[in-house]
Amino acid sequence: MSTAPNRRAVAVILLVPLVVTLALWTFAWPAARIAPRDLPVGVAGPASAAQQLEQRFEQRDGAFDVHRFDDEAAARTAIEDRTVYGAVVVTPQGPHLLTASAASPVVSQLLREAVTASAPEDTPVRVTDVVAAPPGDPRGSVLGASMLPLALAGMAGGAVVTMMGLRGARAALTLVASAALVGVAVTAVTHSWLGAITGDWWTEAGALALTVLAIGSAVAGLAALFGPRGIGLGALLMVLLGNSFSGVSSAPHLLPEPVGAIGQWLPPGAGGSLLRSVAFFDGSAAGGAVLTLSLWTLFGLAAVLFARRAPTPAEPVEPAREPALTG
């Protein structure tokens, strides 16, 4: 009996638990370690009272990155510009907490609990949601759940282009057209039907299309450089790591270090941040995410256009022809 089938069976037996363990680690470990890590928050009010409040935040070493503001108006502007997730304004009536549930419902709840716990006993804490999550998605569930389908759509586009043997400009145009249609379709569902995002319709469609294009281009580019193995590498980066490290369902500043930073360097995390910016904050702080997605897109399309692709199963290698003998 040949030992090759037995070896393949052993490889499958060992590989499946390894893949499951890796997937469980990438998804469960960050979720189990959610806590503020250099979370940008603001403090405003009279100097002496604001300094005391700032010191309370700083007692939790490494949890908060405190920004000082002169008054409530400056704190509100910083929240709307996505400089901070929230701010505490010291008033004679007690602390006034400003939040932005559109930036992260999880962070808003965390700040509410932290400020209420640190306030003097029997002192009411007034809370104002400066940039509220839409009524169609008050907990951010739709936005958090949208990244995996987008990652899968990009993966599918890059894989299909590779397996069909499309090359050069035809492959690039196929990726662009597919991503554009996905952006329009997803915006129609999340904006027009569910009401989960509420910004400019076409800007949201463009952000979603750019996210899918960055993922699809990267997968196709990796396949152009490394052959079919590149599709597996793309799945590891975009779906397994990119989706679980994106912080879309919570916030990048709540994930363990350096997971939060790594997630923002990958298209799913950058795409989630970009979508929040254009959907709720009029595009504030969108520049970094646009740059990240553009770089992944340019890398992928450049590889698709110029790399010498390894043959795929759809492209059988023709045997070399011997030159005819001459008399």
Side-chain angles (χ1 to χ4, degrees):
M1 180 182 295
S2 174
T3 60
N6 293 334
R7 290 177 180 176
R8 289 196 291 267
V10 172
V12 170
I13 292 172
L14 296 177
L15 184 61
V16 170
L18 179 62
V19 172
V20 171
T21 302
L22 179 61
L24 183 62
W25 173 77
T26 55
F27 281 91
W29 174 62
R33 297 292 185 268
I34 285 181
R37 294 172 175 85
D38 290 325
L39 184 72
V41 297
V43 173
S48 58
Q51 185 175 6
Q52 294 178 3
L53 184 58
E54 183 177 353
Q55 290 174 351
R56 291 176 194 162
F57 275 117
E58 292 177 347
Q59 286 176 356
R60 298 180 62 178
D61 187 30
F64 297 99
D65 178 18
V66 183
H67 298 242
R68 288 286 295 274
F69 302 104
D70 294 333
D71 51 26
E72 180 178 333
R76 284 176 175 266
T77 301
I79 293 173
E80 292 168 352
D81 291 342
R82 300 200 73 185
T83 304
V84 295
Y85 282 89
V88 183
V89 182
V90 181
T91 68
Q93 295 76 28
H96 180 197
L97 175 61
L98 306 176
T99 64
S101 59
S104 171
V106 177
V107 171
S108 296
Q109 183 62 31
L110 183 151
L111 291 176
R112 186 191 298 260
E113 294 173 355
V115 173
T116 302
S118 62
E121 191 175 355
D122 298 328
T123 300
V125 177
R126 187 160 60 99
V127 180
T128 300
D129 201 347
V130 177
V131 186
D137 188 26
R139 296 178 180 83
S141 303
V142 174
L143 191 64
S146 64
M147 279 304 107
L148 181 57
L150 290 177
L152 293 176
M155 271 293 309
V160 170
V161 163
T162 299
M163 302 309 292
M164 291 183 63
L166 299 180
R167 298 186 179 187
R170 182 176 297 176
L173 290 175
T174 301
L175 290 168
V176 172
S178 174
L181 290 177
V182 171
V184 170
V186 173
T187 306
V189 173
T190 55
H191 182 119
S192 303
W193 178 32
L194 299 177
I197 51 179
T198 56
D200 178 75
W201 201 96
W202 286 107
T203 304
E204 293 168 347
L208 290 165
L210 181 58
T211 302
V212 175
L213 179 60
I215 297 171
S217 300
V219 172
L222 290 171
L225 293 172
F226 304 110
R229 290 189 298 271
I231 298 176
L233 180 58
L236 174 66
L237 287 175
M238 302 302 162
V239 178
L240 202 58
L241 297 181
N243 186 66
S244 57
F245 291 1
S246 66
V248 176
S249 59
S250 55
H253 291 88
L254 298 183
L255 299 179
E257 298 178 353
V259 166
I262 293 173
Q264 296 306 298
W265 298 338
L266 296 173
S273 297
L274 176 60
L275 184 58
R276 281 194 191 278
S277 292
V278 301
F280 308 123
F281 295 89
D282 295 326
S284 296
V290 171
L291 177 61
T292 299
L293 294 172
S294 299
L295 290 175
W296 278 101
T297 300
L298 290 175
F299 155 77
L301 293 181
V304 168
L305 290 171
F306 302 113
R308 297 188 63 181
R309 188 195 303 270
T312 67
E315 302 171 326
V317 179
E318 294 184 3
R321 296 181 179 179
E322 292 291 340
L325 296 176
T326 58

